[in-house]
Amino acid sequence: MFAELERRVAEKRKAGVDVISLGIGDPDRATYPHIVEAMQVAVADPANHRYPNNRGREEFRQAFAAFYDERFAVAIDPESEVIPALGAKECIYNLCFAFLDPGDTALAADPGYPVYTGGPALAGAEATLMPLRPELDFGPELDAIAPEDLERARLLFLNYPNNPTGAVAPDGLFERAVELAREHEILVVHDNAYSETTYDGYVAPSFLATPGAKDVGVEVFSLSKGFNMTGWRCAAILGNPDALATYWRLKTNVDSGMFEALQIAGAAALAGPRGAIDEMNAIYARRRDLLVEALRAIGVDVEPPKGTIYVWAPVPSGHTSVSFAELVLEEAAVVVSPGSMYGPSGEGFFRISLTTPDDRITEAVTRLREHLA
Ligand SMILES: Cc1ncc(COP(=O)(O)O)c(C=O)c1O
């Protein structure tokens, strides 16, 4: 489906049509200068050119511990409770290989980030979908999971602020996840890719701040989105030391660690001033408001999200996710992602990303109003 959409976009561009893509969540602004400067110095030092230590530099682990303490009020032991990861994506994939055997299942949100279902499948296991519905504020109904699925479940993937729905963690969800994990011996994996990208005064928590979370869970924290670092591949896994030891045993057989210079730059990012993040969030909030206003003007009933870089909106009646995305492409030459790409419960929705420069967002908004009103 996505390949077909891409083919049509390529065809249009070849024919000279100015297509605006609001499809992919990849920050359009540069990485913050203090991070780039730290990298420039570190990359020039030959001491950083050799194989890295797979457990990570002490200063990288310390920087995470200090960040978690200050930002989330979560105590992290830098020796045993944090390991670098080459992006959240590879970390989630590796967790599937570390914890799932054939016959096991991973509980995965639907709609959700595709690796929560692709990872288990590649590891020879299965994914059990947990529908996210607007009437439950896009939280999974943990108590509706079938007993036989809970029996086979080894992993529970959660992700708030959430891609693709833009939802923030519903009250009580993390607490219930801890209880369930304890009852059924499941490892909770909270994918914290968007905690730094929030609006309207909302401050996203860490799952690890939930009482008992560290007994049953880990959190994957990525610098990709909040620090404009998608290309750098810089993240870490934090939390339960036994789970981290298991993950590490697998990981030492898969890759050879994170480039030392990148660990130094990552530490600088975490220790750096928050001003640049706040400015970026103000830019996203302005784009979000422009888009929400334009969507409402064309009859799309949408709420502005409190977090992430996505607006998740219902397609107008009479359309499927795909037919609406096709209509928007044909009429306005704007690419939106059909919700069904993120799982069966994404049908009836589409996703718009806020990571396109201001002038292009403004142009897209004008076209939506002109062609789809
Ligand atoms: C929920 C979620 N997790 C993880 C990622 C990937 O993060 P990383 O760049 O650290 O691999 C994304 C990227 O879109 C995401 O939306």
PDB file of all heavy atoms in Angstrom, residues 25 86-90 92 113 116 159 161-163 191-194 221-225 229-230 233-235 309-310 351, ligand 1:
ATOM      1  N   GLY A  25       7.944  11.215   9.777  1.00  0.00           N
ATOM      2  CA  GLY A  25       8.275  11.950  11.002  1.00  0.00           C
ATOM      3  C   GLY A  25       9.776  12.076  11.169  1.00  0.00           C
ATOM      4  O   GLY A  25      10.382  11.333  11.940  1.00  0.00           O
ATOM      5  N   LEU A  86      21.699   1.697  19.260  1.00  0.00           N
ATOM      6  CA  LEU A  86      21.910   2.423  18.000  1.00  0.00           C
ATOM      7  C   LEU A  86      20.557   2.847  17.428  1.00  0.00           C
ATOM      8  O   LEU A  86      20.185   2.480  16.317  1.00  0.00           O
ATOM      9  CB  LEU A  86      22.684   1.547  17.013  1.00  0.00           C
ATOM     10  CG  LEU A  86      23.963   0.896  17.573  1.00  0.00           C
ATOM     11  CD1 LEU A  86      24.628   0.008  16.527  1.00  0.00           C
ATOM     12  CD2 LEU A  86      24.944   1.957  18.068  1.00  0.00           C
ATOM     13  N   GLY A  87      19.811   3.578  18.209  1.00  0.00           N
ATOM     14  CA  GLY A  87      18.450   3.972  17.832  1.00  0.00           C
ATOM     15  C   GLY A  87      17.458   3.078  18.551  1.00  0.00           C
ATOM     16  O   GLY A  87      17.765   1.928  18.913  1.00  0.00           O
ATOM     17  N   ALA A  88      16.253   3.623  18.762  1.00  0.00           N
ATOM     18  CA  ALA A  88      15.202   2.834  19.420  1.00  0.00           C
ATOM     19  C   ALA A  88      14.790   1.658  18.550  1.00  0.00           C
ATOM     20  O   ALA A  88      14.428   0.592  19.054  1.00  0.00           O
ATOM     21  CB  ALA A  88      13.996   3.725  19.699  1.00  0.00           C
ATOM     22  N   LYS A  89      14.878   1.844  17.238  1.00  0.00           N
ATOM     23  CA  LYS A  89      14.402   0.794  16.326  1.00  0.00           C
ATOM     24  C   LYS A  89      15.204  -0.491  16.505  1.00  0.00           C
ATOM     25  O   LYS A  89      14.641  -1.566  16.696  1.00  0.00           O
ATOM     26  CB  LYS A  89      14.499   1.300  14.897  1.00  0.00           C
ATOM     27  CG  LYS A  89      13.860   0.412  13.870  1.00  0.00           C
ATOM     28  CD  LYS A  89      13.987   1.049  12.506  1.00  0.00           C
ATOM     29  CE  LYS A  89      13.078   0.358  11.504  1.00  0.00           C
ATOM     30  NZ  LYS A  89      13.131   1.042  10.203  1.00  0.00           N
ATOM     31  N   GLU A  90      16.542  -0.381  16.443  1.00  0.00           N
ATOM     32  CA  GLU A  90      17.357  -1.594  16.588  1.00  0.00           C
ATOM     33  C   GLU A  90      17.200  -2.184  17.986  1.00  0.00           C
ATOM     34  O   GLU A  90      17.251  -3.390  18.181  1.00  0.00           O
ATOM     35  CB  GLU A  90      18.834  -1.341  16.246  1.00  0.00           C
ATOM     36  CG  GLU A  90      19.618  -0.539  17.274  1.00  0.00           C
ATOM     37  CD  GLU A  90      20.412  -1.392  18.273  1.00  0.00           C
ATOM     38  OE1 GLU A  90      20.931  -2.452  17.915  1.00  0.00           O
ATOM     39  OE2 GLU A  90      20.514  -0.963  19.439  1.00  0.00           O
ATOM     40  N   ILE A  92      14.492  -2.177  19.912  1.00  0.00           N
ATOM     41  CA  ILE A  92      13.222  -2.921  19.991  1.00  0.00           C
ATOM     42  C   ILE A  92      13.348  -4.252  19.235  1.00  0.00           C
ATOM     43  O   ILE A  92      12.915  -5.307  19.702  1.00  0.00           O
ATOM     44  CB  ILE A  92      12.070  -2.059  19.433  1.00  0.00           C
ATOM     45  CG1 ILE A  92      11.839  -0.856  20.360  1.00  0.00           C
ATOM     46  CG2 ILE A  92      10.789  -2.859  19.253  1.00  0.00           C
ATOM     47  CD1 ILE A  92      11.106   0.293  19.717  1.00  0.00           C
ATOM     48  N   TYR A 113       3.825   1.631  16.081  1.00  0.00           N
ATOM     49  CA  TYR A 113       5.091   1.672  15.356  1.00  0.00           C
ATOM     50  C   TYR A 113       5.371   0.256  14.825  1.00  0.00           C
ATOM     51  O   TYR A 113       5.307  -0.718  15.595  1.00  0.00           O
ATOM     52  CB  TYR A 113       6.183   2.140  16.336  1.00  0.00           C
ATOM     53  CG  TYR A 113       7.540   2.304  15.730  1.00  0.00           C
ATOM     54  CD1 TYR A 113       7.744   3.153  14.643  1.00  0.00           C
ATOM     55  CD2 TYR A 113       8.639   1.628  16.252  1.00  0.00           C
ATOM     56  CE1 TYR A 113       9.006   3.310  14.084  1.00  0.00           C
ATOM     57  CE2 TYR A 113       9.905   1.784  15.706  1.00  0.00           C
ATOM     58  CZ  TYR A 113      10.077   2.619  14.621  1.00  0.00           C
ATOM     59  OH  TYR A 113      11.324   2.761  14.082  1.00  0.00           O
ATOM     60  N   TYR A 116       7.031  -3.149  16.481  1.00  0.00           N
ATOM     61  CA  TYR A 116       6.426  -3.946  17.564  1.00  0.00           C
ATOM     62  C   TYR A 116       5.766  -5.221  17.015  1.00  0.00           C
ATOM     63  O   TYR A 116       5.524  -6.163  17.767  1.00  0.00           O
ATOM     64  CB  TYR A 116       5.347  -3.174  18.331  1.00  0.00           C
ATOM     65  CG  TYR A 116       5.740  -1.802  18.814  1.00  0.00           C
ATOM     66  CD1 TYR A 116       4.800  -0.765  18.840  1.00  0.00           C
ATOM     67  CD2 TYR A 116       7.029  -1.524  19.255  1.00  0.00           C
ATOM     68  CE1 TYR A 116       5.139   0.494  19.290  1.00  0.00           C
ATOM     69  CE2 TYR A 116       7.372  -0.262  19.695  1.00  0.00           C
ATOM     70  CZ  TYR A 116       6.427   0.745  19.704  1.00  0.00           C
ATOM     71  OH  TYR A 116       6.748   2.000  20.131  1.00  0.00           O
ATOM     72  N   ASN A 159       3.966   2.901  24.291  1.00  0.00           N
ATOM     73  CA  ASN A 159       4.642   4.053  23.693  1.00  0.00           C
ATOM     74  C   ASN A 159       3.767   5.303  23.881  1.00  0.00           C
ATOM     75  O   ASN A 159       2.774   5.461  23.191  1.00  0.00           O
ATOM     76  CB  ASN A 159       4.900   3.751  22.196  1.00  0.00           C
ATOM     77  CG  ASN A 159       5.087   4.983  21.329  1.00  0.00           C
ATOM     78  OD1 ASN A 159       4.434   5.126  20.286  1.00  0.00           O
ATOM     79  ND2 ASN A 159       5.952   5.878  21.740  1.00  0.00           N
ATOM     80  N   PRO A 161       4.325   9.680  24.849  1.00  0.00           N
ATOM     81  CA  PRO A 161       3.406  10.099  23.803  1.00  0.00           C
ATOM     82  C   PRO A 161       3.508   9.153  22.605  1.00  0.00           C
ATOM     83  O   PRO A 161       4.586   8.674  22.285  1.00  0.00           O
ATOM     84  CB  PRO A 161       3.854  11.513  23.454  1.00  0.00           C
ATOM     85  CG  PRO A 161       4.496  12.009  24.738  1.00  0.00           C
ATOM     86  CD  PRO A 161       5.154  10.811  25.343  1.00  0.00           C
ATOM     87  N   ASN A 162       2.348   8.928  21.962  1.00  0.00           N
ATOM     88  CA  ASN A 162       2.178   7.796  21.071  1.00  0.00           C
ATOM     89  C   ASN A 162       2.251   8.146  19.578  1.00  0.00           C
ATOM     90  O   ASN A 162       1.620   9.087  19.117  1.00  0.00           O
ATOM     91  CB  ASN A 162       0.797   7.179  21.386  1.00  0.00           C
ATOM     92  CG  ASN A 162       0.487   5.989  20.530  1.00  0.00           C
ATOM     93  OD1 ASN A 162      -0.204   6.106  19.522  1.00  0.00           O
ATOM     94  ND2 ASN A 162       1.004   4.839  20.912  1.00  0.00           N
ATOM     95  N   ASN A 163       3.008   7.329  18.873  1.00  0.00           N
ATOM     96  CA  ASN A 163       2.969   7.320  17.420  1.00  0.00           C
ATOM     97  C   ASN A 163       2.091   6.145  17.017  1.00  0.00           C
ATOM     98  O   ASN A 163       2.342   5.030  17.475  1.00  0.00           O
ATOM     99  CB  ASN A 163       4.389   7.129  16.865  1.00  0.00           C
ATOM    100  CG  ASN A 163       4.411   6.986  15.351  1.00  0.00           C
ATOM    101  OD1 ASN A 163       3.474   7.367  14.665  1.00  0.00           O
ATOM    102  ND2 ASN A 163       5.492   6.439  14.817  1.00  0.00           N
ATOM    103  N   ASP A 191       8.530   2.489  24.996  1.00  0.00           N
ATOM    104  CA  ASP A 191       9.277   3.189  23.948  1.00  0.00           C
ATOM    105  C   ASP A 191       9.045   4.689  24.146  1.00  0.00           C
ATOM    106  O   ASP A 191       7.985   5.212  23.830  1.00  0.00           O
ATOM    107  CB  ASP A 191       8.747   2.705  22.593  1.00  0.00           C
ATOM    108  CG  ASP A 191       9.413   3.403  21.418  1.00  0.00           C
ATOM    109  OD1 ASP A 191      10.267   4.285  21.640  1.00  0.00           O
ATOM    110  OD2 ASP A 191       9.062   3.057  20.278  1.00  0.00           O
ATOM    111  N   ASN A 192      10.064   5.338  24.716  1.00  0.00           N
ATOM    112  CA  ASN A 192       9.909   6.751  25.071  1.00  0.00           C
ATOM    113  C   ASN A 192      10.569   7.631  24.004  1.00  0.00           C
ATOM    114  O   ASN A 192      11.523   8.346  24.268  1.00  0.00           O
ATOM    115  CB  ASN A 192      10.545   6.995  26.450  1.00  0.00           C
ATOM    116  CG  ASN A 192      10.043   8.260  27.085  1.00  0.00           C
ATOM    117  OD1 ASN A 192       9.218   8.954  26.504  1.00  0.00           O
ATOM    118  ND2 ASN A 192      10.538   8.579  28.259  1.00  0.00           N
ATOM    119  N   ALA A 193      10.040   7.549  22.788  1.00  0.00           N
ATOM    120  CA  ALA A 193      10.662   8.277  21.674  1.00  0.00           C
ATOM    121  C   ALA A 193      10.268   9.751  21.650  1.00  0.00           C
ATOM    122  O   ALA A 193      10.941  10.559  21.012  1.00  0.00           O
ATOM    123  CB  ALA A 193      10.286   7.605  20.354  1.00  0.00           C
ATOM    124  N   TYR A 194       9.145  10.098  22.347  1.00  0.00           N
ATOM    125  CA  TYR A 194       8.592  11.449  22.148  1.00  0.00           C
ATOM    126  C   TYR A 194       8.411  12.252  23.430  1.00  0.00           C
ATOM    127  O   TYR A 194       7.725  13.270  23.407  1.00  0.00           O
ATOM    128  CB  TYR A 194       7.236  11.344  21.421  1.00  0.00           C
ATOM    129  CG  TYR A 194       7.378  10.785  20.022  1.00  0.00           C
ATOM    130  CD1 TYR A 194       7.126   9.438  19.758  1.00  0.00           C
ATOM    131  CD2 TYR A 194       7.784  11.598  18.975  1.00  0.00           C
ATOM    132  CE1 TYR A 194       7.287   8.920  18.479  1.00  0.00           C
ATOM    133  CE2 TYR A 194       7.937  11.082  17.686  1.00  0.00           C
ATOM    134  CZ  TYR A 194       7.688   9.745  17.459  1.00  0.00           C
ATOM    135  OH  TYR A 194       7.851   9.242  16.191  1.00  0.00           O
ATOM    136  N   PHE A 221      14.952   5.087  25.405  1.00  0.00           N
ATOM    137  CA  PHE A 221      14.910   6.543  25.235  1.00  0.00           C
ATOM    138  C   PHE A 221      15.761   6.900  24.015  1.00  0.00           C
ATOM    139  O   PHE A 221      16.959   6.613  23.967  1.00  0.00           O
ATOM    140  CB  PHE A 221      15.467   7.249  26.475  1.00  0.00           C
ATOM    141  CG  PHE A 221      15.323   8.758  26.394  1.00  0.00           C
ATOM    142  CD1 PHE A 221      14.245   9.404  26.984  1.00  0.00           C
ATOM    143  CD2 PHE A 221      16.255   9.520  25.699  1.00  0.00           C
ATOM    144  CE1 PHE A 221      14.095  10.791  26.883  1.00  0.00           C
ATOM    145  CE2 PHE A 221      16.115  10.906  25.595  1.00  0.00           C
ATOM    146  CZ  PHE A 221      15.043  11.540  26.199  1.00  0.00           C
ATOM    147  N   SER A 222      15.128   7.535  23.044  1.00  0.00           N
ATOM    148  CA  SER A 222      15.835   7.903  21.812  1.00  0.00           C
ATOM    149  C   SER A 222      16.066   9.405  21.752  1.00  0.00           C
ATOM    150  O   SER A 222      15.199  10.189  22.129  1.00  0.00           O
ATOM    151  CB  SER A 222      14.990   7.497  20.609  1.00  0.00           C
ATOM    152  OG  SER A 222      15.566   8.018  19.429  1.00  0.00           O
ATOM    153  N   LEU A 223      17.230   9.786  21.254  1.00  0.00           N
ATOM    154  CA  LEU A 223      17.503  11.214  21.054  1.00  0.00           C
ATOM    155  C   LEU A 223      17.041  11.684  19.676  1.00  0.00           C
ATOM    156  O   LEU A 223      17.155  12.856  19.345  1.00  0.00           O
ATOM    157  CB  LEU A 223      19.012  11.503  21.223  1.00  0.00           C
ATOM    158  CG  LEU A 223      19.473  11.692  22.671  1.00  0.00           C
ATOM    159  CD1 LEU A 223      19.383  10.424  23.466  1.00  0.00           C
ATOM    160  CD2 LEU A 223      20.898  12.232  22.734  1.00  0.00           C
ATOM    161  N   SER A 224      16.511  10.754  18.871  1.00  0.00           N
ATOM    162  CA  SER A 224      16.180  11.073  17.472  1.00  0.00           C
ATOM    163  C   SER A 224      15.267  12.275  17.323  1.00  0.00           C
ATOM    164  O   SER A 224      15.574  13.211  16.588  1.00  0.00           O
ATOM    165  CB  SER A 224      15.492   9.870  16.815  1.00  0.00           C
ATOM    166  OG  SER A 224      16.436   8.904  16.451  1.00  0.00           O
ATOM    167  N   LYS A 225      14.133  12.244  18.001  1.00  0.00           N
ATOM    168  CA  LYS A 225      13.095  13.240  17.696  1.00  0.00           C
ATOM    169  C   LYS A 225      13.273  14.506  18.530  1.00  0.00           C
ATOM    170  O   LYS A 225      13.265  15.607  17.991  1.00  0.00           O
ATOM    171  CB  LYS A 225      11.697  12.649  17.920  1.00  0.00           C
ATOM    172  CG  LYS A 225      11.503  11.261  17.345  1.00  0.00           C
ATOM    173  CD  LYS A 225      11.368  11.243  15.836  1.00  0.00           C
ATOM    174  CE  LYS A 225      11.338   9.803  15.350  1.00  0.00           C
ATOM    175  NZ  LYS A 225      10.596   9.560  14.149  1.00  0.00           N
ATOM    176  N   MET A 229      17.945  14.418  15.991  1.00  0.00           N
ATOM    177  CA  MET A 229      19.132  13.581  15.761  1.00  0.00           C
ATOM    178  C   MET A 229      18.779  12.258  15.084  1.00  0.00           C
ATOM    179  O   MET A 229      19.424  11.238  15.342  1.00  0.00           O
ATOM    180  CB  MET A 229      19.849  13.317  17.096  1.00  0.00           C
ATOM    181  CG  MET A 229      20.513  14.557  17.669  1.00  0.00           C
ATOM    182  SD  MET A 229      21.252  14.269  19.300  1.00  0.00           S
ATOM    183  CE  MET A 229      22.649  13.227  18.907  1.00  0.00           C
ATOM    184  N   THR A 230      17.780  12.257  14.207  1.00  0.00           N
ATOM    185  CA  THR A 230      17.360  10.965  13.621  1.00  0.00           C
ATOM    186  C   THR A 230      18.501  10.261  12.882  1.00  0.00           C
ATOM    187  O   THR A 230      18.604   9.050  12.914  1.00  0.00           O
ATOM    188  CB  THR A 230      16.157  11.131  12.666  1.00  0.00           C
ATOM    189  OG1 THR A 230      16.407  12.245  11.814  1.00  0.00           O
ATOM    190  CG2 THR A 230      14.877  11.381  13.416  1.00  0.00           C
ATOM    191  N   ARG A 233      21.598   8.055  15.099  1.00  0.00           N
ATOM    192  CA  ARG A 233      21.355   6.729  15.684  1.00  0.00           C
ATOM    193  C   ARG A 233      21.845   6.673  17.132  1.00  0.00           C
ATOM    194  O   ARG A 233      22.795   5.953  17.463  1.00  0.00           O
ATOM    195  CB  ARG A 233      21.990   5.598  14.838  1.00  0.00           C
ATOM    196  CG  ARG A 233      21.784   5.706  13.349  1.00  0.00           C
ATOM    197  CD  ARG A 233      20.348   5.973  12.950  1.00  0.00           C
ATOM    198  NE  ARG A 233      19.414   4.948  13.408  1.00  0.00           N
ATOM    199  CZ  ARG A 233      18.241   5.247  13.961  1.00  0.00           C
ATOM    200  NH1 ARG A 233      17.834   6.502  14.115  1.00  0.00           N
ATOM    201  NH2 ARG A 233      17.452   4.286  14.338  1.00  0.00           N
ATOM    202  N   CYS A 234      21.228   7.445  17.975  1.00  0.00           N
ATOM    203  CA  CYS A 234      21.669   7.563  19.361  1.00  0.00           C
ATOM    204  C   CYS A 234      20.481   7.357  20.308  1.00  0.00           C
ATOM    205  O   CYS A 234      19.509   8.131  20.272  1.00  0.00           O
ATOM    206  CB  CYS A 234      22.283   8.942  19.573  1.00  0.00           C
ATOM    207  SG  CYS A 234      23.121   9.111  21.162  1.00  0.00           S
ATOM    208  N   ALA A 235      20.567   6.316  21.120  1.00  0.00           N
ATOM    209  CA  ALA A 235      19.504   6.006  22.082  1.00  0.00           C
ATOM    210  C   ALA A 235      20.109   5.177  23.207  1.00  0.00           C
ATOM    211  O   ALA A 235      21.309   4.885  23.189  1.00  0.00           O
ATOM    212  CB  ALA A 235      18.389   5.216  21.383  1.00  0.00           C
ATOM    213  N   ILE A 309       5.028  14.402  17.034  1.00  0.00           N
ATOM    214  CA  ILE A 309       5.125  15.277  15.865  1.00  0.00           C
ATOM    215  C   ILE A 309       4.056  14.892  14.851  1.00  0.00           C
ATOM    216  O   ILE A 309       4.249  15.065  13.649  1.00  0.00           O
ATOM    217  CB  ILE A 309       6.550  15.173  15.248  1.00  0.00           C
ATOM    218  CG1 ILE A 309       6.990  13.701  15.138  1.00  0.00           C
ATOM    219  CG2 ILE A 309       7.545  15.943  16.092  1.00  0.00           C
ATOM    220  CD1 ILE A 309       8.398  13.499  14.578  1.00  0.00           C
ATOM    221  N   TYR A 310       2.917  14.361  15.368  1.00  0.00           N
ATOM    222  CA  TYR A 310       1.873  13.876  14.462  1.00  0.00           C
ATOM    223  C   TYR A 310       0.496  14.405  14.848  1.00  0.00           C
ATOM    224  O   TYR A 310       0.188  14.540  16.018  1.00  0.00           O
ATOM    225  CB  TYR A 310       1.809  12.335  14.493  1.00  0.00           C
ATOM    226  CG  TYR A 310       3.164  11.706  14.310  1.00  0.00           C
ATOM    227  CD1 TYR A 310       3.808  11.057  15.371  1.00  0.00           C
ATOM    228  CD2 TYR A 310       3.813  11.780  13.085  1.00  0.00           C
ATOM    229  CE1 TYR A 310       5.053  10.496  15.199  1.00  0.00           C
ATOM    230  CE2 TYR A 310       5.070  11.228  12.912  1.00  0.00           C
ATOM    231  CZ  TYR A 310       5.691  10.589  13.973  1.00  0.00           C
ATOM    232  OH  TYR A 310       6.933  10.050  13.810  1.00  0.00           O
ATOM    233  N   ARG A 351      -2.614  10.135   9.192  1.00  0.00           N
ATOM    234  CA  ARG A 351      -1.608  10.792  10.026  1.00  0.00           C
ATOM    235  C   ARG A 351      -0.884  11.855   9.229  1.00  0.00           C
ATOM    236  O   ARG A 351      -0.514  11.640   8.081  1.00  0.00           O
ATOM    237  CB  ARG A 351      -0.592   9.755  10.524  1.00  0.00           C
ATOM    238  CG  ARG A 351       0.296  10.267  11.652  1.00  0.00           C
ATOM    239  CD  ARG A 351       1.481   9.346  11.903  1.00  0.00           C
ATOM    240  NE  ARG A 351       2.543   9.576  10.939  1.00  0.00           N
ATOM    241  CZ  ARG A 351       3.774   9.048  11.020  1.00  0.00           C
ATOM    242  NH1 ARG A 351       4.073   8.233  12.010  1.00  0.00           N
ATOM    243  NH2 ARG A 351       4.686   9.311  10.097  1.00  0.00           N
TER     244      ARG A 351
HETATM  245  C1  LIG B   1       7.390   5.179  18.486  1.00  0.00           C
HETATM  246  C2  LIG B   1       8.697   5.197  17.791  1.00  0.00           C
HETATM  247  N1  LIG B   1       9.713   4.480  18.287  1.00  0.00           N
HETATM  248  C3  LIG B   1      10.913   4.483  17.716  1.00  0.00           C
HETATM  249  C4  LIG B   1      11.161   5.214  16.568  1.00  0.00           C
HETATM  250  C5  LIG B   1      12.527   5.161  15.954  1.00  0.00           C
HETATM  251  O1  LIG B   1      13.452   5.797  16.754  1.00  0.00           O
HETATM  252  P1  LIG B   1      14.993   5.750  16.417  1.00  0.00           P
HETATM  253  O2  LIG B   1      15.272   6.810  15.399  1.00  0.00           O
HETATM  254  O3  LIG B   1      15.665   6.013  17.723  1.00  0.00           O
HETATM  255  O4  LIG B   1      15.310   4.382  15.881  1.00  0.00           O
HETATM  256  C6  LIG B   1      10.135   5.956  15.993  1.00  0.00           C
HETATM  257  C7  LIG B   1      10.367   6.699  14.748  1.00  0.00           C
HETATM  258  O5  LIG B   1       9.488   7.134  14.075  1.00  0.00           O
HETATM  259  C8  LIG B   1       8.882   5.949  16.633  1.00  0.00           C
HETATM  260  O6  LIG B   1       7.851   6.646  16.135  1.00  0.00           O
END
